[in-house]
Amino acid sequence: MIVAEAVGRTLASLGAEAVFGVVGSGNFHVTNALVEHGARFVAARHEGGAATAADAYARTSGKVGILSVHQGPGLTNAMTGVAEAAKSRTPLVVLAGEATDARSNFHIDQDALVRAVGAVPMRVSSGTDAVEQTVNAFRTAREDRRTVLLNLPLGAQTGVVPWRGPLGEFLDQIVSAGRAAASVPLLQHAVPAAGDVEELAGLLAAARRPVFVAGRGARHARRELEELAGLTGALLATSAVARGLFRGNPWELDVSGGFATPLAAELIRGADLVVGWGCALNMWTTRHGTLIGPDTVLVQVDLDDAAIGLHRPVRLGLTGDTAATARAVIAAATVSGKVAFSGKVAFSGEGTLSGEGGDEGYGYRSPELARRIAAQGRWRDVPYTDEGGGGRIDPRTLTIALDDLLPAERTVAVDSGNFMGYPSMFLDVPDERAFCFTQAFQSVGLGLATAIGAAVARPDRLTVAALGDGGALMSAAELETVVRLGLPMVVVVYDDEAYGAEVHHFGPHGYPLDLVTFPPADLAAIGRGYGFETVTVTGRADLSGVARWLEGTRERPLLVHARVTRDRASWWLEEAFKGH
């Protein structure tokens, strides 16, 4: 067995179920070996799309993503997607051929390239280390939540791996050990120091208006965080990437940060204690710090010690898994069977109070606040003046109507741009795995590939790709991928015929906008050319075409070309500009 085949066999044995990529000579054999041993190959039309799809697959499925690309330009084409994955700490293994001869047209310093964006370079150098290095790459991706480049030098790929006899048995043992490690749930024992746990328990016991903000690092911790919040009276919010984590909880505020509703912003800003659970507490989640009151005590829990206090100074930082930490705090608050939080009164949200203290509730949790959250907790509940007309639809009206039409079991993937707050906040999602938000690098053009990866991961849900016209045209080649894979996807293009963020950033200051505005494009015709069914929407009545598609066979994906109003910046962009 040659090295390239051994690498593919090993990854498949470790649990790689899907591999995304574009095949060239340098990754031909390893990709075929993956497929031979049971992995599904998802061919993209561009390595950038393949990289983002692999990232989204990992986020949505909870498994390690696999990307396979050609040496040199195959890797450079993928780099924006690799940068997004690395910044997001997505567990991803990138397989790339490597031209080590400096005279080769394909030669570049691939290690330096991926290090520059925060990924981890590794290398298979010969048949003797091929299996062990592959296992190491997979385990590093999974256990350290890193994006790993596994270089496959062209000269080494044809080396022999003696997968027979005593050495072959040893290689089987290595793979078996890696497979066993991959089957063990991660992070179960990462608990902070006892003193830190007790200090957090004390802060929660003393707080009158606590708020929890959960990020990607807490997406597995809903049960524990809800239990602790119930004991302490905390309200529940998330960062954008963890949206949906607390869906259905009566004390959920949805997203903290630039996407926050007026009610959520009011309540988070008024908190006397904010605990960040597995979230960066960066400028987006804290709205440039304005959501943290001057007297608010800020606490951060994160598995990565380097993340503690990186964006904002914190009173207390706890290094540990979020679920394990929440369990430890609950345990620390229990002394001889008496819970330290028992003096608080938790309003259930169903008209009853538990604990002591009368019928007013305590802190934030009160019957009155429960009613306010129920009535004002979603952006669609916030009154607005519809600005549609003249052949354009208000993006709020559009998205609320789509939210009502589309099935509840959906996955929403959103590109970057002025429009992005509308699908992010007006389209509900059923849980934390249903909102795929590849925005750590804030690159335009990743949304369609994000939707492809999410759709492969969750074929049981209708995937909705929300794009601006700029991002849609950047990634149009992947429309063919959607059709070829038979994905029953809805692609919604919010078309303002411009790079809207730049228009609204520079336009008010009198700068010329010729470079960021464009003539009309018939995006519906482009979609039909790739094999989509299409609907052009300029007003509410046009959405009947979406309803007909949903009621039909859905044999072909649907592209909704929405000509949206463009006279003003979205609310979230106005907030973002305050930090520039």
Side-chain angles (χ1 to χ4, degrees):
M1 181 179 295
I2 65 171
V3 164
E5 294 170 345
V7 171
R9 171 179 171 174
T10 300
L11 286 171
S13 298
L14 292 172
E17 297 180 3
V19 53
F20 298 78
V22 176
V23 172
S25 59
N27 65 325
F28 183 87
H29 294 301
V30 68
T31 308
N32 273 292
L34 274 156
V35 173
E36 180 184 350
H37 291 282
R40 176 188 180 185
F41 179 62
V42 181
R45 283 301 183 177
H46 189 278
E47 289 91 348
T52 300
D55 178 2
Y57 173 86
R59 298 182 195 219
T60 305
S61 68
K63 300 171 183 176
V64 175
I66 309 292
L67 170 66
S68 180
V69 297
H70 185 64
Q71 65 271 14
L75 182 60
T76 58
N77 278 348
M79 280 311 297
T80 297
V82 171
E84 168 64 34
K87 284 178 172 289
S88 298
R89 297 294 292 265
T90 299
L92 176 68
V93 175
V94 180
L95 302 170
E98 183 184 27
T100 55
D101 187 339
R103 296 169 296 179
S104 170
N105 289 343
F106 296 129
H107 174 72
I108 56 172
D109 188 341
Q110 297 189 171
D111 284 11
L113 182 66
V114 300
R115 278 199 192 97
V117 299
V120 179
M122 301 177 75
R123 179 172 287 99
V124 170
S125 59
S126 68
T128 59
D129 74 346
V131 173
E132 186 173 5
Q133 286 296 85
T134 304
V135 171
N136 287 342
F138 189 89
R139 292 184 66 174
T140 299
R142 181 178 183 271
E143 297 177 15
D144 295 345
R145 299 180 305 160
R146 300 298 297 272
T147 294
V148 179
L149 168 67
L150 185 60
N151 285 298
L152 304 175
L154 300 182
Q157 285 195 40
T158 54
V160 176
V161 177
W163 215 313
R164 289 206 174 110
L167 187 53
E169 293 176 7
F170 174 65
L171 296 178
D172 282 330
Q173 291 174 9
I174 293 175
V175 175
S176 295
R179 188 187 307 118
S183 67
V184 176
L186 291 178
L187 316 176
Q188 294 302 304
H189 304 294
V191 181
D196 291 340
V197 170
E198 291 174 2
E199 185 174 354
L200 176 54
L203 290 172
L204 286 167
R208 305 308 301 167
R209 299 182 306 280
V211 171
F212 290 175
V213 181
R216 182 181 292 117
R219 292 203 301 173
H220 64 296
R222 172 172 179 161
R223 180 174 60 83
E224 292 83 357
L225 292 180
E226 285 188 325
E227 181 180 352
L228 183 58
L231 290 170
T232 60
L235 304 182
L236 297 162
T238 70
S239 65
V241 292
R243 185 173 186 236
L245 177 60
F246 301 117
R247 182 63 69 237
N249 189 295
W251 302 109
E252 178 205 15
L253 301 179
D254 210 352
V255 173
S256 172
F259 289 164
T261 62
L263 176 62
E266 171 195 331
L267 295 171
I268 297 169
R269 190 177 290 120
D272 58 358
L273 172 66
V274 170
V275 184
W277 299 89
C279 68
L281 294 174
N282 58 24
M283 65 177 182
W284 304 113
T285 305
T286 65
R287 198 176 279 185
H288 302 285
T290 62
L291 293 187
I292 307 300
D295 299 318
T296 301
V297 174
L298 191 59
V299 175
Q300 188 175 4
V301 181
D302 203 285
L303 194 66
D304 183 4
D305 183 64
I308 304 292
L310 179 63
H311 294 279
R312 297 200 63 77
V314 296
R315 160 79 173 272
L316 175 64
L318 298 90
T319 303
D321 169 55
T322 49
T325 300
R327 287 194 298 269
V329 173
I330 293 169
T334 305
V335 182
S336 301
K338 182 178 180 181
V339 179
F341 308 133
S342 61
K344 293 190 169 186
V345 181
F347 176 64
S348 70
E350 299 176 353
T352 62
L353 295 162
S354 60
E356 301 173 359
D359 61 2
E360 295 301 320
Y362 68 93
Y364 273 146
R365 293 202 176 193
S366 68
E368 173 57 29
L369 182 58
R371 287 188 287 269
R372 288 190 69 196
I373 292 174
Q376 306 170 36
R378 303 163 68 199
W379 265 108
R380 65 179 294 160
D381 300 325
V382 178
Y384 70 94
T385 300
D386 189 309
E387 297 176 353
R392 293 192 173 273
I393 187 170
D394 189 304
R396 295 163 293 189
T397 301
L398 166 72
T399 316
I400 291 170
L402 288 172
D403 187 52
D404 291 337
L405 284 170
L406 297 170
E409 281 298 314
R410 65 182 73 150
T411 301
V412 176
V414 182
D415 209 335
S416 189
N418 175 58
F419 77 95
M420 63 190 288
Y422 303 113
S424 295
M425 297 310 301
F426 287 84
L427 288 179
D428 278 344
V429 291
D431 57 43
E432 72 281 1
R433 295 285 179 187
F435 186 62
C436 204
F437 196 64
T438 45
Q439 296 290 336
F441 201 27
Q442 214 173 340
S443 172
V444 174
L446 304 188
L448 181 56
T450 298
I452 291 170
V456 172
R458 290 299 304 264
D460 57 315
R461 288 177 165 171
L462 178 67
T463 301
V464 182
L467 320 175
D469 53 304
L473 290 167
M474 282 186 186
S475 59
E478 302 304 346
L479 292 171
E480 188 276 338
T481 304
V482 175
V483 173
R484 172 168 37 86
L485 295 178
L487 301 175
M489 185 184 297
V490 175
V491 176
V492 184
V493 183
Y494 292 72
D495 182 12
D496 61 1
E497 297 170 7
Y499 294 138
E502 283 65 36
V503 166
H504 297 298
H505 193 173
F506 296 105
H509 302 289
Y511 291 104
L513 299 175
D514 295 348
L515 304 182
V516 291
T517 55
F518 301 91
D522 191 344
L523 297 172
I526 292 172
R528 287 193 296 273
Y530 279 106
F532 276 71
E533 292 188 32
T534 63
V535 175
T536 297
V537 177
T538 60
R540 189 191 295 268
D542 298 325
L543 289 162
S544 60
V546 177
R548 284 193 297 273
W549 182 87
L550 289 167
E551 293 166 0
T553 61
R554 307 186 196 177
E555 291 181 358
R556 293 191 295 162
L558 176 69
L559 187 146
V560 179
H561 178 200
R563 298 185 182 276
V564 297
T565 55
R566 53 187 179 177
D567 293 337
R568 67 176 66 210
S570 62
W571 89 93
W572 80 267
L573 196 64
E574 292 174 344
E575 291 289 345
F577 288 161
K578 296 175 183 177
H580 292 302

